Amino acid sequence: MTVVDLARRVGLSRTPCLERVRRLEEQGVIRGYAALLDPEKLGAGHVTFVQVTLGTTRSDALDAFNRAVGDIPEIQGCFMIAGGFDYLLKVRTPDIQAYRRVLGERVAALPHVVQTSTFVVMETVKDSVAVALPDESAAR
């Protein structure tokens, strides 16, 4: 979106809008800009969520797991969970056969993994990268 379009949308003129955007960048609220890619066209349309349980949750075990997850490109998201398991992974692959290989060869081999449970996405209803603000005035 251009600054002019953004300014019009939030009810400001171009210069104050640009100043606010720059201030948000400097404060780290806006961390960067990215292109939104179509995973289907990139051969990564199959989505699974994987519950991961570790054998221990000592700090060194968590650190080892966290570092190792970064080496697996198919893992699109990794979230530490407070609940009945330790991590939730979002995994993208071309198809179920590729997912099975990633699970068996890479995810199960991550440090301290003792159990996984897979949930296959049948349809994506909503998948947003935007953060919703409680009120548009909060961005001002």
Side-chain angles (χ1 to χ4, degrees):
M1 174 181 302
T2 68
V3 173
V4 172
D5 290 337
L6 179 59
R8 189 175 304 119
R9 196 165 174 187
V10 298
L12 294 172
S13 63
R14 182 189 180 285
T15 301
C17 182
L18 183 57
E19 288 172 1
R20 289 180 185 188
V21 167
R22 286 190 179 141
R23 186 170 54 243
L24 291 170
E25 291 169 340
E26 290 167 5
Q27 294 170 346
V29 174
I30 297 175
R31 296 187 325 191
Y33 301 90
L36 298 178
L37 306 175
D38 184 328
E40 290 281 341
K41 292 182 180 175
L42 295 172
H46 184 266
V47 180
T48 53
F49 288 92
V50 185
Q51 289 181 353
V52 176
T53 302
L54 304 184
T56 179
T57 54
R58 291 186 328 263
S59 291
D60 60 330
L62 297 175
D63 291 343
F65 180 87
N66 294 347
R67 280 191 306 275
V69 161
D71 295 333
I72 303 176
E74 293 87 355
I75 297 177
Q76 188 178 37
C78 176
F79 310 92
M80 183 184 282
I81 302 295
F85 56 97
D86 300 308
Y87 286 91
L88 183 65
L89 307 179
K90 181 179 181 182
V91 180
R92 282 193 173 276
T93 56
D95 53 41
I96 192 74
Q97 291 82 14
Y99 168 71
R100 179 64 188 98
R101 284 190 299 278
V102 170
L103 176 67
E105 297 170 9
R106 315 239 12 230
V107 174
L110 287 166
H112 306 284
V113 170
V114 295
Q115 183 177 353
T116 63
S117 294
T118 296
F119 301 89
V120 176
V121 173
M122 295 183 349
E123 178 182 1
T124 300
V125 177
K126 181 178 180 181
D127 190 13
S128 177
V129 295
V131 175
L133 297 175
D135 179 274
E136 280 196 21
S137 64
R140 293 185 185 152

